[in-house]
Amino acid sequence: LAKTTQPISMDSYEGQEVNITCSHNNIATNDYITWYQQFPSQGPRFIIQGYKTKVTNEVASLFIPADRKSSTLSLPRVSLSDTAVYYCLVGDNRWSGGYQKVTFGTGTKLQVIP
Amino acid sequence: GAVVSQHPSWVICKSGTSVKIECRSLDFQATTMFWYRQFPKQSLMLMATSNEGSKATYEQGVEKDKFLINHASLTLSTLTVTSAHPEDSSFYICSAANREASVETQYFGPGTRLLVL
């Protein structure tokens, strides 16, 4: 299982773009990168998933360099409601008859300031 | 889409009793479901992997006789905490793997808060 390293915490003002980087130096060829958001006393919520280059959806963008040893979650124009813990997970998500387990790291606690 | 529910959302019980938590994938079928435990201000810790129709695979240090897992169908997995004690008080979260094209993604339930008195 690929180990991930993220900053423990980040602060940002409302309206700014926030970039959270995750390091995963021993990512395997078949591993995907998935980001989740968790609010206190709630289950993690899926944000975005990617394998390489750039992925964008309605809430975030995910940038993955060519060597795939890191990834960056970009949240455009954050609001107070984006204050949460963000987790980066790396694992083999290919459909091969059984989902492979992943390990949660410490996550990044994002505090959005008014 | 890809909604996972848990029931109950919170439970308080006396020490020595058993508690069952249900995890359902509402709009997709999940061959694999996972159970996690999360203590305050900590990350999620995987307890076991549950595959439909077969025995669960437990992580090291998790007592399989204490945390009984049953994955009876492609949309339902249950976790039973047997003879619960105060140290079992925690936030229990399940997830289900949803297959989209050739990739599977974990979707999480809202969690169940267990307090053992």
Side-chain angles (χ1 to χ4, degrees), chain B residues 8-22:
Chain B
S9 56
W10 60 269
V11 59
I12 302 174
C13 69
K14 294 181 179 180
S15 184
T17 60
S18 294
V19 175
K20 179 185 284 188
I21 303 171
E22 290 187 352

Side-chain angles (χ1 to χ4, degrees), chain A residues 88-103:
Chain A
C88 159
L89 272 68
V90 174
D92 186 350
N93 289 30
R94 295 174 304 158
W95 168 248
S96 56
Y99 185 90
Q100 303 299 314
K101 67 180 182 181
V102 292
T103 300

Side-chain angles (χ1 to χ4, degrees), chain B residues 20-94:
Chain B
K20 179 185 284 188
I21 303 171
E22 290 187 352
C23 177
R24 294 182 185 272
S25 56
L26 298 185
D27 50 3
F28 65 97
Q29 294 184 327
T31 304
T32 306
M33 290 185 172
F34 300 86
W35 287 96
Y36 295 83
R37 182 165 54 180
Q38 186 175 34
F39 293 106
K41 298 188 184 302
Q42 294 187 21
S43 186
L44 282 75
M45 291 180 56
L46 180 64
M47 299 175 66
T49 302
S50 168
N51 290 297
E52 187 265 340
S54 63
K55 292 183 178 181
T57 301
Y58 291 82
E59 294 300 300
Q60 191 172 9
V62 177
E63 300 175 57
K64 63 179 180 181
D65 294 331
K66 180 170 186 61
F67 299 99
L68 301 179
I69 292 172
N70 182 23
H71 195 152
S73 74
L74 290 174
T75 58
L76 173 64
S77 176
T78 60
L79 169 68
T80 301
V81 184
T82 62
S83 186
H85 291 285
E87 57 266 29
D88 299 322
S89 297
S90 187
F91 191 52
Y92 292 87
I93 309 170
C94 73

Side-chain angles (χ1 to χ4, degrees), chain A residues 32 36 38 41-44 46 49 87 93-95 98-102 104-106, chain B residues 32 34 36 38 43-44 46 59 91 97 99 102-110 113:
Chain A
Y32 282 73
Y36 292 88
Q38 186 182 30
S41 297
Q42 293 187 26
F46 172 82
Q49 180 174 268
Y87 292 99
N93 289 30
R94 295 174 304 158
W95 168 248
Y99 185 90
Q100 303 299 314
K101 67 180 182 181
V102 292
F104 274 79
T106 57
Chain B
T32 306
F34 300 86
Y36 295 83
Q38 186 175 34
S43 186
L44 282 75
L46 180 64
E59 294 300 300
F91 191 52
R99 178 184 177 187
S102 61
V103 179
E104 288 196 312
T105 303
Q106 274 193 76
Y107 290 93
F108 289 82
R113 177 76 60 188

